[in-house]
């Protein structure tokens, strides 16, 4: 099946929605609604257009953002986990390890050993880049 050309802008809109809102609880029904198609049609077409399912794309996006934070911010792995939209540290660690090839702690420590500068976590909280999940910030997801 070839993705209909007139559907591509709708798929892009849904992918952009995932990119902007990866920290939030996103479900397949909601993202498919952004594209304006049924979730089953959305899964098939998104997969053909982008080479992965919408939820796998969301997970990859969250892992990429976690890598950025682990490299450049002075945050705990738990803070990073919750900030990027995961609600389970175990799930986050397992998926991170599967995608990246090393645990979040090993990844962070490797970059720290290389002397990479870190932004103080308190600055990220104050700037709103990272939300304080302990104060009830939304962090549903994987």
């Amino acid at each position: 099946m070839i993705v209909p050309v007139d559907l591509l802008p709708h798929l892009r809109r849904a992918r952009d929605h995932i990119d902007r809102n990866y920290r939030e609880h996103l479900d397949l029904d909601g993202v498919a609604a952004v594209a304006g198609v049924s979730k089953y049609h959305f899964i098939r077409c998104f997969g053909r257009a982008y080479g992965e399912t919408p939820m796998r794309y969301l997970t990859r996006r969250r892992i990429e953002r976690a890598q950025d934070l682990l490299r450049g911010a002075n945050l705990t792995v738990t803070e990073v986990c919750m900030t990027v939209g995961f609600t389970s540290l175990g799930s986050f660690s397992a998926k991170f390890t599967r995608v990246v090839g090393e645990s979040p702690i090993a990844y962070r420590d490797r970059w720290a050993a290389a002397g990479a500068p870190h932004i103080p976590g308190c600055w990220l909280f104050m700037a709103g880049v990272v939300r304080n999940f302990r104060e009830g910030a939304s962090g549903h997801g994987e």
Side-chain angles (χ1 to χ4, degrees):
M1 177 182 134
I2 296 174
V3 178
V5 174
D6 61 330
L7 184 58
L8 292 175
H10 300 281
L11 295 175
R12 252 183 260 122
R13 185 179 316 118
R15 189 186 64 184
D16 290 347
H17 177 76
I18 293 171
D19 288 341
R20 279 190 310 277
N21 299 292
Y22 68 90
R23 296 176 187 164
E24 307 302 326
H25 172 70
L26 296 175
D27 63 19
L28 193 53
D29 290 322
V31 179
V34 170
V37 296
S38 77
K39 69 180 177 182
Y40 302 108
H41 189 58
F42 178 67
I43 292 169
R44 283 190 305 274
C45 292
F46 191 99
R48 285 194 170 75
Y50 298 113
E52 60 190 339
T53 67
M55 294 301 106
R56 187 164 288 166
Y57 178 82
L58 171 61
T59 297
R60 186 172 54 79
R61 180 68 183 102
R62 288 175 172 168
I63 296 296
E64 288 169 354
R65 184 62 181 133
Q67 286 179 281
D68 291 341
L69 290 170
L70 290 167
R71 277 192 311 266
N74 187 18
L75 297 170
T76 67
V77 172
T78 301
E79 288 170 329
V80 170
C81 164
M82 299 299 170
T83 296
V84 300
F86 287 90
T87 56
S88 163
L89 183 58
S91 175
F92 167 70
S93 294
K95 288 180 182 186
F96 188 97
T97 301
R98 182 175 38 95
V99 171
V100 178
E102 62 186 329
S103 73
I105 292 171
Y107 184 86
R108 181 195 61 198
D109 292 349
R110 182 168 53 83
W111 281 93
H118 280 97
I119 299 168
C122 61
W123 287 31
L124 296 171
F125 282 107
M126 288 180 352
V129 174
V130 175
R131 285 175 277 162
N132 190 340
F133 58 89
R134 288 181 216 112
E135 294 178 0
S138 166
H140 306 296
E142 298 293 280

